[in-house]
Amino acid sequence: MVKIEQIKVLEGHKIFFHFSDNAEKIIDFTPFIGSDKLTSMLKDERYFANVKLYENGRGIFWDNSYDVCPDFLRKYNEQ
């Protein structure tokens, strides 16, 4: 399983990722932000910027328990 080694929050609900296989990508999270209770909180850019990386590199998460695994992020291709 690939791990996330580094993240950096960018403007416009985007996050830069550096993975353990040396791949790097920027993902726009706008398509994942909905009106449901869990993801609607991410609309606030200050809240979004508080994303954290699990110690073991096995994903990212926010304080509201919304998390995303590294495999999904590594394979995700924006359309």
Side-chain angles (χ1 to χ4, degrees):
M1 174 190 256
V2 68
K3 294 181 182 181
I4 302 168
E5 294 185 337
Q6 179 185 5
I7 61 172
K8 182 177 180 183
V9 178
L10 307 173
E11 289 184 31
H13 294 98
K14 294 178 182 171
I15 301 175
F16 164 84
F17 293 92
H18 177 82
F19 296 92
S20 59
D21 64 357
N22 286 322
E24 294 182 332
K25 67 182 354 179
I26 295 172
I27 298 177
D28 181 357
F29 277 75
T30 304
F32 304 113
I33 301 172
S35 57
D36 59 281
K37 186 176 180 179
L38 195 59
T39 64
S40 64
M41 296 177 76
L42 303 180
K43 290 178 185 175
D44 180 331
E45 288 204 36
R46 287 181 294 173
Y47 186 84
F48 181 84
N50 286 320
V51 63
K52 297 171 182 72
L53 177 62
Y54 284 115
E55 264 184 43
N56 59 10
R58 299 282 186 197
I60 59 170
F61 69 97
W62 285 267
D63 290 337
N64 67 349
S65 298
Y66 181 66
D67 64 353
V68 187
C69 77
D71 286 336
F72 173 81
L73 295 167
R74 177 64 182 91
K75 293 175 184 175
Y76 179 72
N77 289 317
E78 297 180 74
Q79 302 289 325

